Amino acid sequence: MVLQELLGIEWPIIQAPMAGVQDSALAIAVSNAGGLGSLPCAMLGPDALRDELAKIRAQTSRPYNVNFFCHRPPVPDAAREAMWRQTLAHYYREFDIDPASIAAGPGRLPFDAAAAALLEEFKPPVVSFHFGLPEEALLARVRRWGAKIISSATTVDEARWLAARGVDVIVAQGLEAGGHRGMFLSEDLSTQVGTFALLPQIVRAVPVPVVAAGGIADAQGVQAALALGAAGVQVGTAYLLCPEASTSVPHRAALQSAAAGHTALTNLYTGRPARGIVTRLMREQGPLSALAPAFPLAAAALAPLRAKAEVAGRSDFSPLWAGQNVSGCRAVPAAQLTRALAGR
Ligand SMILES: Cc1cc2nc3c(=O)[nH]c(=O)nc-3n(C[C@H](O)[C@H](O)[C@H](O)COP(=O)(O)O)c2cc1C
């Protein structure tokens, strides 16, 4: 009951924030069903963020989570960018795209003072971070309105680092998880560990509640995580087919096809390793490339290819983020899925 009491929720189920495939609708549905709904904010500008927070406030009185990235914005590297676009040149020719016309793409912004000021108006009860934590002064500002702080750890070292900085809950993100690895102390992918190897080690290492994430898709998976010492679970992939998610049509189709059985970590889409269904781009370039621009700059070069291919009904250049276990994906209302995960 530790997690439920701490966060004011009914079930130990956190709906994973998933930038690009959901907005407030999914978060509201999950919070109203007694789980913790999450709003991913990494791709929202200030106006969109304010609108989404207003919708949540209007449509649920239950606790909810807002999620931010806290990467260090990269220094653009013109030479690397030019080499990357050269690598992609034959795709640009295939889709009749003028590489000179490609604008800087939709960025992913780290949590900053402007976002903190906006949040202060709404005082969300839970704030979670991916890629570490913001600087101490910003974190202190978030604490001031009483928000509980959550962040992801992908190694025992990261969990200890987060606990030392006073986070309230740590998400142990196993290697099976869909989307970006939350790794922040190392870039070495060989440090990354599967959920059921990582979880008990983090539980033993830190004094705060630990939430398991990665590959958990049904009530049995939830029970297994709890048996290994988790205070709760964070589930992402299983929610991707819910009607309240904004998952694209090609992404939904891929999740329901045999292709979903093969995922890989790739840095091609954003510059940071993230798990998604293997696409043509990943097959042809290899899922990890030293040439891909630093996070989040890599997204720009692919944006026009993705757009043109999707118009033609193809997801060859789309990030199809998904974890290794898609068996829990069901096109049912998020409230129903949340209750099923809770065994109700
Ligand atoms: C489509 C997708 C998008 C994601 N985007 C985010 C995000 O914006 N912020 C975040 O903290 N985690 C994000 N994640 C990772 C989740 O927080 C979580 O670690 C993961 O979904 C758990 O594994 P599962 O997908 O196997 O359930 C994303 C995951 C997916 C599948």
Side-chain angles (χ1 to χ4, degrees):
M1 280 303 282
V2 184
L3 190 75
Q4 291 93 307
E5 277 163 22
L6 185 69
L7 302 180
I9 53 181
E10 212 171 323
W11 319 116
I13 313 284
I14 302 177
Q15 165 251 314
M18 296 187 284
V21 299
Q22 61 142 138
D23 55 23
S24 56
L26 184 63
I28 291 163
V30 173
S31 284
N32 280 335
L36 186 72
S38 300
L39 177 71
C41 304
M43 294 169 78
L44 298 180
D47 292 345
L49 177 56
R50 186 185 299 279
D51 284 355
E52 292 298 296
L53 288 167
K55 281 184 195 159
I56 294 176
R57 190 148 75 181
Q59 293 176 58
T60 187
S61 54
R62 304 276 189 102
Y64 61 94
N65 168 39
V66 293
N67 169 262
F68 291 86
F69 288 173
C70 28
H71 56 287
R72 234 180 247 123
V75 181
D77 178 340
R80 188 163 161 195
E81 186 74 36
M83 269 161 72
W84 183 234
R85 290 189 186 203
Q86 191 53 43
T87 306
L88 302 176
H90 65 287
Y91 298 127
Y92 293 141
R93 280 194 296 277
E94 180 183 334
F95 285 87
D96 206 14
I97 291 164
D98 173 8
S101 69
I102 300 171
R108 284 156 178 82
L109 300 171
F111 188 66
D112 60 10
L118 208 159
L119 289 190
E120 259 159 10
E121 295 172 33
F122 291 87
K123 301 185 174 36
V126 184
V127 180
S128 74
F129 297 104
H130 217 40
F131 313 136
L133 289 171
E135 63 181 69
E136 188 47 47
L138 275 180
L139 198 59
R141 215 165 145 179
V142 174
R143 280 189 205 294
R144 225 166 284 144
W145 71 76
K148 298 285 181 269
I149 312 281
I150 304 182
S151 186
S152 304
T154 66
T155 61
V156 174
D157 283 350
E158 287 176 352
R160 287 207 180 96
W161 188 96
L162 292 172
R165 281 153 187 80
V167 302
D168 298 289
V169 175
I170 291 174
V171 175
Q173 191 197 31
L175 192 48
E176 299 91 324
H180 286 94
R181 306 292 312 139
M183 57 201 300
F184 59 92
L185 289 183
S186 163
E187 292 184 1
D188 179 357
L189 284 175
S190 69
T191 62
Q192 301 296 284
V193 183
T195 302
F196 281 4
L198 182 65
L199 170 65
Q201 296 190 69
I202 290 186
V203 168
R204 277 196 292 274
V206 297
V208 297
V210 179
V211 164
I216 298 167
D218 54 26
Q220 275 183 309
V222 174
Q223 287 307 316
L226 298 182
L228 284 179
V233 298
Q234 178 160 298
V235 175
T237 298
Y239 282 100
L240 286 171
L241 295 182
C242 291
E244 297 92 339
S246 54
T247 316
S248 71
V249 170
H251 197 167
R252 283 176 194 265
L255 286 162
Q256 294 174 90
S257 75
H262 187 193
T263 65
L265 290 182
T266 179
N267 68 344
L268 304 181
Y269 289 103
T270 65
R272 256 187 194 262
R275 183 174 297 285
I277 297 170
V278 173
T279 58
R280 173 185 165 195
L281 178 74
M282 289 159 71
R283 262 192 306 275
E284 292 179 356
Q285 298 302 318
L288 296 165
S289 168
L291 290 180
F295 181 87
L297 302 175
L302 288 173
L305 282 168
R306 173 186 178 178
K308 280 218 168 175
E310 284 190 4
V311 166
R314 289 157 57 182
S315 50
D316 296 346
F317 302 93
S318 306
L320 303 174
W321 302 142
Q324 286 181 329
N325 186 359
V326 297
S327 67
C329 292
R330 287 190 290 144
V332 299
Q336 191 179 326
L337 185 61
T338 304
R339 283 193 295 270
L341 286 165
R344 301 289 149 165

